[in-house]
Amino acid sequence: QVQLVESGGGLVQPGGSLRLSCAASGFTFSNYGMGWVRQAPGKGLEWISHIGSGSSSTRYADSVKGRFTISRDNAKNTLFLQMNSLKPEDTAVYFCVKYKRWSSSTYEPPSGQGTQVTVSS
């Protein structure tokens, strides 16, 4: 079955950086678009980024554009999110998501535990 295991979160000061990872298994990773979503305390899921199956295309929410970079290593079945210039409003649980086959707009509900990112001084 599909397994997505996020890691790399933590406590960081405003302006700092973190790199999140998502280890994928149970499906042919290189065939699917992937992405990241997040959930801040008391709020719903917020989409933040998508990457195509071959890394040829990337998209970002306006709230993170220019600060976050999504990437993937298909040989290692791993998705990444490099987060720079972090702000307190980036505080959330971050989840990686698998997109529907052939879709760049529809993703499956998060199935992992997520990784907590806290931005605070």
Side-chain angles (χ1 to χ4, degrees), residues 40-53:
K43 297 189 177 181
L45 283 175
E46 176 190 12
W47 173 82
I48 56 174
S49 187
H50 164 268
I51 185 168
S53 59

Side-chain angles (χ1 to χ4, degrees), residues 2-116:
V2 172
Q3 272 202 312
L4 300 171
V5 180
E6 302 90 346
S7 62
L11 173 63
V12 63
Q13 292 186 342
S17 298
L18 283 173
R19 189 191 195 206
L20 306 184
S21 298
C22 171
S25 61
F27 64 103
T28 305
F29 181 73
S30 59
N31 284 352
Y32 291 84
M34 298 292 294
W36 290 93
V37 299
R38 67 187 181 186
Q39 187 165 27
K43 297 189 177 181
L45 283 175
E46 176 190 12
W47 173 82
I48 56 174
S49 187
H50 164 268
I51 185 168
S53 59
S55 303
S56 59
S57 66
T58 57
R59 292 182 294 119
Y60 299 92
D62 288 344
S63 58
V64 306
K65 197 173 296 182
R67 301 187 298 120
F68 290 10
T69 302
I70 190 171
S71 62
R72 63 191 295 164
D73 184 338
N74 285 346
K76 295 184 178 180
N77 292 347
T78 305
L79 179 72
F80 303 100
L81 185 69
Q82 178 67 43
M83 305 188 298
N84 299 329
S85 302
L86 283 161
K87 305 175 181 180
E89 52 263 43
D90 294 319
T91 295
V93 178
Y94 285 70
F95 301 90
C96 64
V97 292
K98 171 179 168 282
Y99 276 68
K100 299 284 190 181
R101 189 78 189 269
W102 312 122
S103 173
S104 61
S105 60
T106 305
Y107 53 85
E108 299 173 0
S111 59
Q113 295 298 308
T115 186
Q116 175 71 49

